[in-house]
Amino acid sequence: MQTSTAVGAVIGVVLTLLEQRKTWRPFVPSPAGVGIAMLIPVSAVTVIFLGAVLDVVWTRVSPATQKHYAIASASGLIAGEALVAVLIPLLVTIGLLSLP
């Protein structure tokens, strides 16, 4: 555990220092983004990546609608997922739903 903490700290410091050079900034991954990606489960990272890809495709297909509806759509999907994440355990607890 100590080794992985040290490696993570070194990577964070190196990325932060590399990010300081304006010419390198577009090519250096965000240290905060890398850190968050290491903390959250792969299933969440995968969904975030798919959402980003969908947004890029939407921008290329219909920039006008993407500009007006992307934030509202993403917010609705995030809120909906959060509600379902609360609803399913509630239904399991009261016996209306059983998980395999």
Side-chain angles (χ1 to χ4, degrees):
M1 171 109 165
Q2 292 175 348
T3 303
S4 60
T5 302
V7 169
V10 168
I11 290 172
V13 169
V14 168
L15 289 177
T16 302
L17 292 173
L18 291 175
E19 194 178 43
Q20 300 307 308
R21 295 200 55 169
K22 290 185 180 185
T23 56
W24 292 5
R25 191 171 295 158
F27 307 105
V28 177
S30 164
V34 171
I36 290 170
M38 290 181 184
L39 293 175
I40 60 178
V42 170
S43 60
V45 174
T46 304
V47 173
I48 293 168
F49 173 76
L50 291 175
V53 170
L54 180 63
D55 189 60
V56 169
V57 171
W58 188 3
T59 301
R60 291 184 182 179
V61 171
S62 180
T65 60
Q66 188 275 348
K67 182 179 179 182
H68 290 291
Y69 300 115
I71 293 176
S73 297
S75 299
L77 289 169
I78 292 168
E81 188 273 335
L83 290 172
V84 169
V86 170
L87 184 64
I88 289 176
L90 180 65
L91 292 175
V92 169
T93 302
I94 63 176
L96 294 176
L97 182 68
S98 64
L99 298 176

